[in-house]
Amino acid sequence: MMTMDENVWTPGLTLVTHLLQDTIENYAVDKTRIYGTGQSQGGMTNIAISDRYPDLFAAQWLVACQWNVQEMAAMKDKKLWITVCEGDNKAFPGMNEATALW
């Protein structure tokens, strides 16, 4: 499992982060143009990595996802696009709370 509703760091998040770091280190990657996106669990993964490594992504597009709102405070000044449906009873209130916090 990559992420869980409990918003905890998992071994899967560690593996994905190591893969990203290895790719950045070993390939011609422009570190100023790394963008993150994900839908649902992929978006949660993106948020979790961004919380832990706030300088990694140049911008992010978060789709129908949520995370611990207090941890998302690190994303306050980031370039974000957020897409969420009013009918999503987890992501919609969570993203509204996060944007109000920012």
Side-chain angles (χ1 to χ4, degrees), residues 40-79:
S40 192
Q41 192 177 84
M44 292 169 69
T45 299
N46 194 271
I47 293 168
I49 292 170
S50 185
D51 285 345
R52 191 162 284 192
Y53 303 95
D55 297 324
L56 177 64
F57 298 114
Q60 294 162 270
W61 181 20
L62 307 173
V63 182
C65 55
Q66 72 277 342
W67 195 251
N68 178 310
V69 173
Q70 298 307 313
E71 289 182 26
M72 291 174 66
M75 301 172 75
K76 175 179 147 326
D77 297 318
K78 295 294 179 181
K79 295 177 183 172

